[in-house]
Every structure is written in C-alpha cells, then in structure tokens.
Amino acid sequence: MLFRELGLCNSLCETVEQLGYTEPTPIQSKAIPLVLSGKDLLAAAQTGTGKTAAFSLPIINQMLKEPIAVSSEKKVRCLVLVPTRELAQQVFEAVVSFSKETSLRCVAVYGGTSIKAQRDALKLGCDIVVATPGRLLDHHHCGHISLKHVEHFVLDEADRMLDMGFKPDIQRVLRHLKPQRQTLLFSATFTPQIKELAYKLLNEPEEVEASEQNSTAATVKEMLYPVDKQKKAALLAYLIGSRNWQQVLVFTRTKEGSDKLAKELKLDGIKAVSINGDKSQGARTKALEDFKTGQVRALIATDVAARGLDIPQLDQVVNFDLPFKAEDYVHRIGRTGRAGREGLAVSLMSHDQEYLLTPIENLLDRRLPQEWLAGFEPSPTPVNDKPDQPRQRKGRNRDKQKLKAKLKIHAGRGKKKS
Ligand code: AMP
C-alpha cells in the first residue's frame, strides 16, 4: 500500500516521502481514509506504531481543504491533547514536519516552560495546538486561546491521561469545544474507563486497531531474572557490561528509585541518567538527547516519564521493578522490537515483587521465561523483603487477600530445576 492510495493530497504525499516514509504503517493504512472521511475514531495504538502521522496527516489534509474565514486572524482549528510534556514536544515536531509545505501554524503548549513565550506564540495566531491539559486550561483561563473554532479534537494516549488523573481537566476542555467536531481517541489499552470516556466523547466512531490488544511484539525476546533486592543494581550493571548494551531503557517504579539507580550505575562506571517528573524540563530534554545520541548508555525512567518517548531502534528494555499495573508491562516492552526489529526485554524480580507477576502473565495469557544468573541466584528465604505494594486505602482487605493468594501460588516459581 502507498500513501497516495490513502486519499492524501499530492503535497502531503511528497512531504512524507521526503521524510523517508516509504509505506504507511498498519494504523496509518486503517485510520487515514476514515479520518479523511470526517468520521470519529477510536484507535488502539501504542507509541511506535506511527499513530502521530495516522491522525496528523489526514487532519492537515482536511484543514487544507476547509474554507477559512474571511478574517485574516488564525483560529485554532485542531487541538491535540497529550498527557506529557515530552509527548507534546514530539507530536509538535511531527506536525511541524508534516505541515512544512503549508501555511498552517502549530504551537505547542505544555508546563515546565515559560508561559509568556507560549502566550506570545498563541497571540500570533495558530491553526493547530498540541497541549497538555493543565497548561492549556491556564492559557484558556487567561484568555490567551479560544477553543470555540476547534473542528478536529485528538485525545492521544487517553489511557495514560486517565492514569495521570486528567479526567476532570479533559472534561473542562470539552466544555469549551463545540459539539460539531471530529474527535479521535487514541489509546494503547481499552479499559472499561476508556470505553466509558469514548462513549461520552465520540459520535458513532469507527474502531481501528494497530496490533493485537495486550500483546507484545513477536520479535521481542523476554527474560525474567529472580534476584535479591539488594543485588538488583549489581545484576543490571553486570548485564549492561557483560552484554555490551549500548542503549538501554530501564524502568523503575518511583522517582527516588530512578535517581538512586542512576547513581549506582554511575559508580559502576556506566553512564546513566534518570528522567522523572521531579526534573526540570531542560534536564529531561537533555537527558533524552544524551541518550539518543549515545552519550548516555542507560536512561532510567518512571512509567509516567517514559510514556510516549520516541526513541527509535531501542534494543533493550529492563524492568528494574515489575510494574504495579500489568498493562504497563505491555507499554514498557512495546518500547523495543518495533517495526519488526529484534528486541530484548529483561525483568528483574525480587521476592517482594513476585506477586506482581501473576497479573502480568494473566494479561499476556502466557508464562514469562525465567532464568537464574550465576552469581545472582536469589536466596531461598527472603531476608528483610517486605512486600512492595502501593499504599492501599482502608476497605481494600479483600484485594489484599487476593494478592496474598497470588503470592502463595507464586511461592516456588522460578526455581531452577536441579
Ligand atoms: P509514533 O507512533 O507516532 O510515535 O511514531 C513512531 C516513529 O515512527 C516516529 O519516529 C515516526 O517518525 C516513525 N514513522 C511513522 N510513520 C512511519 C512510516 N510510515 N514509515 C516509517 N517511519 C514512520
């Protein structure tokens, strides 16, 4: 299939060719004709599937055809809401590259950077705004932006938006949009909450899917290493060094954990940097840039910070901590093995996190291969390993009991056969 066959205009087809895209990705082939026809869309697609072009190209195509008001003032006709600053910057850069041969103007609006500079950019007038919800509402509140002319509304990474508690902000933004508009919702997973949101937001949507739900790419090799908590950092340093990994994305569950691990790896002579919500925008951008250019070998990130980072050709991903949410395992692993490339996903599991394995394996509907690494075998009786659980509210005792039951099921799992 060629881009030309999807109904995009010649100049956009030429632009994507110049960008080196030879053929559309599956989500692009499915979504572009539907978006061009003006339909609402519910799309299951993760980062790395080419989803940004899947919504940007047909929207730009439509905007080029839409009659523009006689007034010379530029009005926001497309709003893309994203959960994180990094994703806002990435989507902005993609939209700018797709619209470079047009007169359309795009502005990115997100927290952590000067609100004044964004206000000035908005004042000049723009057709497309890529925004995180909080900063967008700040600008709206101050009268820097009007949303009443928005014809195309995209909610990108909707599942992460809800995880990050953006539902009230999304609802506030919606109140400022006109009901007659095209709405596209992209999400990596379809939880009941996403379905509920989609039901409220979309009008007779078409549904498209980039890949099988809750599955990991067939080209990703997975391995789980049971290891004592105290030896995890040493095991990671050993893997990076002995296997000569040059670029590895490592997931920790907490911001403090990401900073601590980066320090420990540096002590082992491995160039590492952490990226989390406590860092300034400048520090986060620099960390990502250093990682992309190979000046840093290990990028240590929390799920939130890593969400949506576009790092092409990532060969290794490490779960230093197993995620609390099974879906996050799929998101994390989805960072490698893209576009048919081979990838490796390694998980380090200490005793205190064993109970998190069952939900992951249930979601994947298969067992993860396990191996003990010589010198890092877990001790038979866990010492000082308190179960590592999120804070739970009172009245969740039934959930706790379920978790305990899962823990019991897992006792003895992963033992090496002698
Ligand atoms: P996304 O899922 O939108 O974050 O895109 C992931 C990466 O795939 C980005 O670096 C895009 O530039 C790239 N990409 C998107 N569409 C194509 C395509 N049709 N051919 C090759 N690369 C693409």
Side-chain angles (χ1 to χ4, degrees), residues 318-331:
V318 171
N319 293 308
F320 188 78
D321 296 307
L322 288 185
F324 279 128
K325 289 174 62 188
E327 290 86 7
D328 281 341
Y329 181 85
V330 180
H331 292 315

Side-chain angles (χ1 to χ4, degrees), residues 179-232:
Q180 306 80 9
R181 56 164 201 267
Q182 179 178 41
T183 305
L184 318 177
L185 187 151
F186 281 74
S187 186
T189 49
F190 279 106
T191 56
Q193 290 84 348
I194 288 291
K195 285 187 184 145
E196 187 198 321
L197 180 69
Y199 179 76
K200 285 188 190 151
L201 212 65
L202 305 171
N203 180 21
E204 297 180 11
E206 295 284 341
E207 290 187 28
V208 291
E209 218 178 288
S211 58
E212 213 183 309
Q213 280 290 289
N214 299 332
S215 66
T216 50
T219 49
V220 178
K221 186 175 170 238
E222 290 159 281
M223 187 52 74
L224 185 107
Y225 294 109
V227 57
D228 288 343
K229 196 174 179 176
Q230 302 83 339
K231 289 192 185 164
K232 272 184 166 184

Side-chain angles (χ1 to χ4, degrees), residues 168-298:
D169 280 352
I170 295 171
Q171 281 163 340
R172 261 176 233 131
V173 171
L174 282 173
R175 269 183 238 135
H176 302 296
L177 301 181
K178 60 179 177 184
Q180 306 80 9
R181 56 164 201 267
Q182 179 178 41
T183 305
L184 318 177
L185 187 151
F186 281 74
S187 186
T189 49
F190 279 106
T191 56
Q193 290 84 348
I194 288 291
K195 285 187 184 145
E196 187 198 321
L197 180 69
Y199 179 76
K200 285 188 190 151
L201 212 65
L202 305 171
N203 180 21
E204 297 180 11
E206 295 284 341
E207 290 187 28
V208 291
E209 218 178 288
S211 58
E212 213 183 309
Q213 280 290 289
N214 299 332
S215 66
T216 50
T219 49
V220 178
K221 186 175 170 238
E222 290 159 281
M223 187 52 74
L224 185 107
Y225 294 109
V227 57
D228 288 343
K229 196 174 179 176
Q230 302 83 339
K231 289 192 185 164
K232 272 184 166 184
L235 172 55
L236 178 60
Y238 171 77
L239 287 170
I240 294 175
S242 64
R243 302 190 180 177
N244 199 20
W245 291 346
Q246 291 304 320
Q247 202 186 41
V248 53
L249 178 62
V250 183
F251 287 94
T252 59
R253 276 212 311 256
T254 62
K255 298 172 192 174
E256 299 74 29
S258 65
D259 289 337
K260 186 165 169 257
L261 180 59
K263 277 187 200 144
E264 285 173 324
L265 290 179
K266 277 190 226 160
L267 288 176
D268 272 318
I270 293 164
K271 284 186 182 161
V273 68
S274 57
I275 182 167
N276 59 49
D278 282 350
K279 308 262 166 183
S280 69
Q281 185 58 34
R284 285 158 68 159
T285 309
K286 173 149 187 352
L288 185 60
E289 212 40 51
D290 287 350
F291 183 61
K292 280 184 174 176
T293 53
Q295 292 173 61
V296 156
R297 275 170 94 178

